[in-house]
Amino acid sequence: MHRSRPAVGLSLALVVAVGVMGGGGAGRAAADPGPGPGRTLYVENYSAVCSDSGTGTESRPFCTVQAAADVVEPGDTVRVLGSSLSAYSQAVTLTRSGTSDEPITISGAPLPSSRSQAVLATPASAPALTLKGVHDVRVESLAFSDEHHADVVAVTASDRVTLDRLTVANSAPTVAVTGTAIGVDGTSSDVTVARTSIYAGTAYGVRVEPGAARVTVTTNVILTQQRGGIAVSGAADADVTGNTVFAPCATAISLDGGSSGVVENNVAAFLSNGSLQTGACQTPAAPLYAVSADSASRVTADYNAVTHQQSSSAPARTEYSWAGASYTTSGAFRDGTGQGAHDIDGITAPPATPSEHSPLIDSADATAPGELGTDQEGHARVDDLLVADTGNGTGHPDRGALERQDTLTISADDDPTPPKGLAPLGISMKTDATSAWGAALTYSADFGDGSAPATGTPGTPVSHTYTAPGRYTTRITFTEPDGTNAEKSYAGVTAGTATPPATALSVAPDTAAGQVNGGFARFTVPAPADPWEVGYRTLSFGDGTQDNLPADDQGPTQTTHQYPAPGTYTATLTQTDLLGRTTTARTTFHAADAFVATTSQYDTEKTIAAHGVLKLSAATLRADSNGADAVQLQLATSNAKASGTLTLYPHGTTRPGTGDATFEPGRTTTTETTVKVTPTGSVDLYNGSSGAVTVNIATVGLQSHAQYADTYHPVAPVRLLDTRTGTGGTRSPVAGGHSLTLTAGGTHGVPANATALVLDVTATTTKASGDLTVATHSTNDSVVSGPYWTTGQSATTQVVIPVYDGKVVLRNESKASANLVADLAGWYGTTANGSEFLPVTPARILSTRTGAGTGKVARLAAHGTLKLKVTGAHGVPATGVTAVDLNLTVPSPSGSGYLVAYPDGTSRPGTYALSFAKGHTTTARALVRTGTNGEIDLYNAGSTSVDVYADLVGDYDVFPAG
């Protein structure tokens, strides 16, 4: 039997100039061992979600190998996933065992094959891997980096252990070192070291210590160790079989200390390398094979080989040392000891894989203990048709770790032609292939569509027609006369459908724990009916950026995107199939803001000159937070030299003709308002008065499109507290310097877990001047100022206040009593049925003096109602609006009273939106729920007609905004 090998897998060669062997024992051709009867535990140190406190699933792997080693059970497989970016720099100790039926496996085999092999970096303090007191354990396909030239893998007090397809690699040391790549201590038994590559870097490649028993070292490639390639001392039943050891400065294989065992089928390669044969080379004249006098009677040696670098300057080297006697040739060794009847030497140019026609080919003992049916790379032992068999037994093994393979050359232009087209699709394919060993070939072409394979001899083209649409893999198998074969695959013959596969696109905002990131979109692309036909997909987000999506997902594809600012964006998915045809799908995402409550504090106090502008930085306003688009502020004015209006607007923009607060000499006023900020967060505050005024500014909340935060829930205005009537539980004025606690959570539709309340708070029947504060009911109070008043005045201010238990505390800061009123306008909390905010450029949408908003110049009559359309203009959507953020102003009223603001189409509530006094211009913020027709109603509860202004600063849209 012999097995063909494709040309892409040419034999490995030794690169003598740098002392590095190409290829290695990574097991590229070996099968994935699979999870076994137990679990598969994953280790992935570069994963963003890895955790050593988890369970080691593929979706949440362990970060360290030790974490998996501490919990692995019999039958489990530990999958150590590799990365080209990160090695595992740790000392791992395994103390848990398997059973004979359910061993423990630790595997670094790439999963999937596109991954890098896992690498464990040896620390200076301990071996990278220690198997301590274990049994029935298999370690495979791991790589080790040994920059400290120390011990790498240690097997101690352990039984039934297999180390397979490992790699130990690092640069050759330039000074003497003492480490061992793989060590087996004297209390271990039944240990196998197989198909492993050990590069220069330690004193010993494999070292077995006195007392060990039944140790097999087979089919390994070991390169240029300082003191010995394979060293067995005082071990019983040691089988050293089929290894290739390059030994320029040390013994390749040695047994001493009364060891017993077999040394067969090995290749000891002597090569001269000046960079290695320096002071770091401790025994440059050591024999290649050495068996001590106390071991010679217990050791059998045969079918070994010695190869020499092809160099006339190579110094003389003893090939064998047996029982204290030295032998320079295999013939002298055979004659002097009776061992090595089939040993050979005198072979030049030592490659890792035997060169064609080498005496190493088909000359080993197939019955040698520990001889494997595959070589170090997983290739079968095969019969080279160009070389006569001189070995023993069946199986045709070559000496050493690597088997010479037949080179099967398959023509590069044998691809199916054409590779794509509409079904039915006819293709033609060449079948050119040759065997380096001259074997006669036949082929069988499987077209992947269930049809019978086509057969023939190389050189005869084959044709086929794909009748049904699909993407097919054509496999052509070339077979030699004895039945062995080799295969080549051609993936990607596309017989397309009559029309390109359709596509679709949907989007939703991102939510977490009841909050929303209003500008963070989650796009979903359902799998097309024919995913195999999709070539590539590109998603343009509508903001000038795009992303490439996986082309052939069998299920829905999801991707996310953070938009840079609030607004309406049209995302477009362009899907191109394998035939170059495109289909598109579009969806609209409305990026909006969610509310971030802040602990209010007066962030700045400044006096603004007449007609002066105060620039407020992002840091001052706390608007330098992620994605902040607007801030909710409380403005408190004092020391006014003349009456006037304050106007807030984004820095660098044209000042609008709107007002956020009004003031006059001799009075302190407070009002809350919302202002849109620039991308840098800066805001300008303009004093429209002819005199200076002092302003205290506090931030009470942010509106952000890039933070998980709360949505707004507007309500039809409802009274929570009125100490005149007993509403809210108190029926008496609140004395000066005293407080009352108001419970809002769990009442009037406000949930107990609401995070903030929007209240219109009023002081009335006041006995002395004063002010009102509103605070959260907690140890970490957030306090905002309510209205200021003069004796006998009724005053109203809207406030936003965080809540933790649904309660707020109202405190009368006056020296005399006052009745307190609190009306609910809305609350902030979880996303269900909530609304998101959209800031707009400030605009005056109502002026009874100019007719803006109503179409006529007319005051709002006493006890009259004004309907105001607030949707469909000034940047406010026509539909989906739940509330508007307004600043209401009553300029110079001729009498006292209050305004009621409420949704059109509902009953007028008995609540206050703004209280005004005769002769005093008053401004107040009003978050007003809209009617289903997009209108709000303003009712004048005063006894005289008044002018009214309404300035728009933003709107709220039903979640998700649309």
Side-chain angles (χ1 to χ4, degrees):
M1 291 283 289
H2 61 278
R3 187 175 303 279
S4 298
R5 183 182 188 189
V8 294
L10 295 178
S11 302
L12 300 177
L14 178 67
V15 183
V16 177
V18 294
V20 176
M21 181 186 62
R28 295 189 299 262
D32 187 331
R39 304 167 298 171
T40 297
L41 306 178
Y42 292 89
V43 182
E44 190 172 7
N45 64 339
Y46 57 91
S47 168
V49 297
C50 72
S51 170
D52 281 351
S53 61
T55 57
T57 61
E58 189 171 10
S59 59
R60 193 167 181 81
F62 292 122
C63 299
T64 65
V65 181
Q66 188 64 59
D70 288 343
V71 299
V72 67
E73 299 286 348
D76 289 351
T77 294
V78 176
R79 279 284 195 186
V80 187
L81 303 183
S83 166
S84 61
L85 302 177
S86 177
Y88 293 83
S89 182
Q90 53 195 254
V92 180
T93 301
L94 177 68
T95 59
R96 301 170 73 88
S97 297
T99 66
S100 59
D101 293 329
E102 294 186 341
I104 285 173
T105 299
I106 301 178
S107 177
L111 179 68
S113 58
S114 58
R115 288 186 182 269
S116 301
Q117 187 180 28
V119 177
L120 275 62
T122 304
S125 57
L129 176 63
T130 300
L131 307 182
K132 184 176 181 180
V134 303
H135 57 82
D136 298 292
V137 170
R138 179 180 181 85
V139 181
E140 63 182 20
S141 300
L142 282 172
F144 298 86
S145 174
D146 178 31
E147 65 181 61
H148 302 290
H149 308 293
D151 293 346
V152 179
V153 178
V155 180
T156 64
S158 298
D159 303 300
R160 298 190 296 281
V161 170
T162 298
L163 307 177
D164 188 21
R165 292 174 291 165
L166 308 184
T167 302
V168 181
N170 202 39
S171 60
T174 57
V175 297
V177 295
T178 59
T180 297
I182 297 177
V184 180
D185 82 338
T187 60
S188 298
S189 61
D190 296 292
V191 177
T192 297
V193 181
R195 294 187 293 181
T196 288
S197 295
I198 301 175
Y199 294 82
T202 50
Y204 294 94
V206 178
R207 192 175 187 185
V208 182
E209 297 181 359
R214 297 178 300 282
V215 177
T216 300
V217 183
T218 179
T219 323
N220 304 287
V221 176
I222 301 173
L223 180 67
T224 62
Q225 304 303 299
Q226 283 190 359
R227 290 194 171 187
I230 300 170
V232 180
S233 183
D237 297 325
D239 297 327
V240 182
T241 305
N243 302 284
T244 298
V245 183
F246 296 94
C249 64
T251 301
I253 298 171
S254 65
L255 284 79
D256 61 22
S259 296
S260 63
V262 172
V263 180
E264 283 205 50
N265 297 346
N266 301 286
V267 175
F270 166 56
L271 64 164
S272 176
N273 191 318
S275 65
L276 295 172
Q277 292 175 320
T278 63
C281 189
Q282 299 179 34
T283 54
L288 295 176
Y289 296 95
V291 177
S292 64
D294 56 8
S295 303
S297 64
R298 298 181 176 91
V299 175
T300 300
D302 203 0
Y303 290 94
N304 298 299
V306 174
T307 65
H308 294 267
Q309 181 185 27
Q310 190 172 1
S311 172
S312 59
S313 63
R317 183 85 175 268
T318 299
E319 294 184 358
Y320 300 89
S321 175
W322 192 272
S326 296
Y327 303 94
T328 57
T329 67
S330 61
F333 172 61
R334 180 169 53 251
D335 294 340
T337 64
Q339 298 279 352
H342 302 89
D343 283 13
I344 53 177
D345 58 9
I347 306 169
T348 59
T353 300
S355 301
E356 195 62 86
H357 303 291
S358 168
L360 302 177
I361 297 173
D362 294 351
S363 65
D365 181 6
T367 66
E371 178 71 19
L372 301 181
T374 59
D375 73 353
Q376 193 213 34
E377 292 187 337
H379 300 303
R381 301 293 189 175
V382 296
D383 183 11
D384 187 337
L385 298 182
L386 303 182
V387 176
D389 288 1
T390 58
N392 181 47
T394 59
H396 315 286
D398 297 349
R399 303 190 196 204
L402 292 163
E403 184 82 1
R404 180 72 191 184
Q405 302 288 316
D406 186 9
T407 301
L408 184 63
T409 303
I410 301 174
S411 176
D413 61 353
D414 281 359
D415 298 336
T417 304
K420 58 187 178 182
L422 292 177
L425 175 66
I427 61 110
S428 176
M429 186 173 62
K430 293 182 179 179
T431 59
D432 298 334
T434 57
S435 164
W437 291 349
L441 303 177
T442 59
Y443 73 81
S444 174
D446 182 353
F447 298 100
D449 60 355
S451 62
T455 60
T457 57
T460 303
V462 61
S463 298
H464 182 70
T465 297
Y466 291 101
T467 58
R471 185 167 173 81
Y472 301 97
T473 296
T474 300
R475 293 179 175 86
I476 186 165
T477 302
F478 292 92
T479 305
E480 300 186 13
D482 62 1
T484 59
N485 55 68
E487 179 184 281
K488 184 177 180 181
S489 302
Y490 307 90
V493 176
T494 302
T497 56
T499 57
T503 190
L505 179 67
S506 62
V507 67
D510 189 47
T511 59
Q515 294 185 314
V516 62
N517 186 336
F520 194 72
R522 289 190 176 276
F523 291 92
T524 299
V525 180
D530 297 302
W532 57 267
E533 198 170 4
V534 178
Y536 56 91
R537 297 186 288 192
T538 300
L539 178 58
S540 298
F541 297 110
D543 61 356
T545 64
Q546 65 180 37
D547 196 7
N548 295 322
L549 304 184
D552 55 354
D553 280 359
Q554 300 299 307
T557 298
Q558 290 193 329
T559 190
T560 59
H561 183 66
Q562 179 71 64
Y563 280 96
T568 300
Y569 300 90
T570 299
T572 303
L573 175 69
T574 302
Q575 178 174 278
T576 304
D577 72 3
L578 295 174
L579 301 184
R581 301 172 296 180
T582 61
T583 53
T584 58
R586 293 179 176 85
T587 189
T588 298
F589 183 74
H590 209 62
D593 288 326
F595 178 71
V596 182
T598 62
T599 300
S600 60
Q601 60 190 39
Y602 284 102
D603 299 302
T604 188
E605 180 181 271
K606 294 288 185 180
T607 297
I608 309 175
H611 303 294
V613 176
L614 173 64
K615 180 181 177 182
L616 301 169
S617 69
T620 297
L621 300 177
R622 291 187 275 176
D624 49 357
S625 180
N626 286 346
D629 299 306
V631 288
Q632 293 190 14
L633 303 177
Q634 184 168 82
L635 306 177
T637 64
S638 60
N639 302 320
K641 304 304 181 183
S643 297
T645 299
L646 293 175
T647 300
L648 282 159
Y649 55 99
H651 176 70
T653 64
T654 302
R655 183 176 73 246
T658 58
D660 294 272
T662 52
F663 55 87
E664 58 188 54
R667 292 197 176 207
T668 298
T669 64
T670 60
T671 187
E672 289 195 5
T673 188
T674 302
V675 59
K676 184 178 180 181
V677 299
T678 65
T680 60
S682 300
V683 167
D684 287 346
L685 177 58
Y686 170 70
N687 174 13
S689 168
S690 60
V693 65
T694 299
V695 183
N696 279 342
I697 304 165
T699 299
V700 298
L702 303 172
Q703 298 286 359
S704 171
H705 70 271
Q707 298 182 55
Y708 288 102
D710 297 316
T711 54
Y712 182 55
H713 301 253
V715 300
V718 60
R719 182 144 292 170
L720 301 180
L721 171 72
D722 191 336
T723 60
R724 299 170 300 182
T725 63
T727 300
T730 299
R731 186 169 185 173
S732 63
V734 178
H738 285 70
S739 303
L740 64 79
T741 299
L742 172 64
T743 299
T747 67
H748 299 88
V750 180
N753 63 347
T755 57
L757 301 175
V758 181
L759 301 174
D760 290 304
V761 290
T762 301
T764 189
T765 58
T766 56
K767 303 301 183 182
S769 61
D771 66 284
L772 173 69
T773 61
V774 184
T776 59
H777 183 258
S778 73
T779 56
N780 297 317
D781 288 347
S782 178
V783 182
V784 294
S785 295
Y788 284 76
W789 61 82
T790 58
T791 302
Q793 180 190 0
S794 293
T796 300
T797 294
Q798 187 171 93
V799 298
V800 177
I801 185 74
V803 288
Y804 300 98
D805 57 2
K807 300 176 182 179
V808 296
V809 178
L810 282 70
R811 180 176 175 82
N812 178 6
E813 302 288 356
S814 174
K815 294 181 179 179
S817 66
N819 279 301
L820 303 183
V821 179
D823 300 326
L824 177 70
W827 53 274
Y828 291 97
T830 55
T831 57
N833 302 315
S835 298
E836 296 175 287
F837 182 70
L838 286 174
V840 301
T841 301
R844 180 151 291 175
I845 62 172
L846 171 67
S847 173
T848 57
R849 287 182 173 178
T850 65
T854 61
K856 61 181 179 179
V857 177
R859 288 186 171 190
L860 177 57
H863 307 296
T865 300
L866 180 154
K867 295 181 183 294
L868 177 64
K869 181 75 169 180
V870 294
T871 60
H874 306 290
V876 180
T879 60
V881 178
T882 61
V884 286
D885 194 343
L886 303 174
N887 291 318
L888 298 177
T889 300
V890 175
S892 303
S894 57
S896 297
Y898 60 90
L899 294 181
V900 180
Y902 59 100
D904 186 57
T906 65
S907 299
R908 184 178 73 246
T911 58
Y912 301 151
L914 177 149
S915 296
F916 54 86
K918 181 179 178 180
H920 299 285
T921 298
T922 304
T923 297
R925 182 199 189 195
L927 277 181
V928 187
R929 181 178 173 182
T930 59
T932 57
N933 57 0
E935 295 183 352
I936 64 170
D937 291 350
L938 299 175
Y939 172 72
N940 177 11
S943 58
T944 61
S945 62
V946 295
D947 280 311
V948 180
Y949 305 149
D951 296 331
L952 175 71
V953 295
D955 63 90
Y956 285 88
D957 290 1
V958 63
F959 173 82

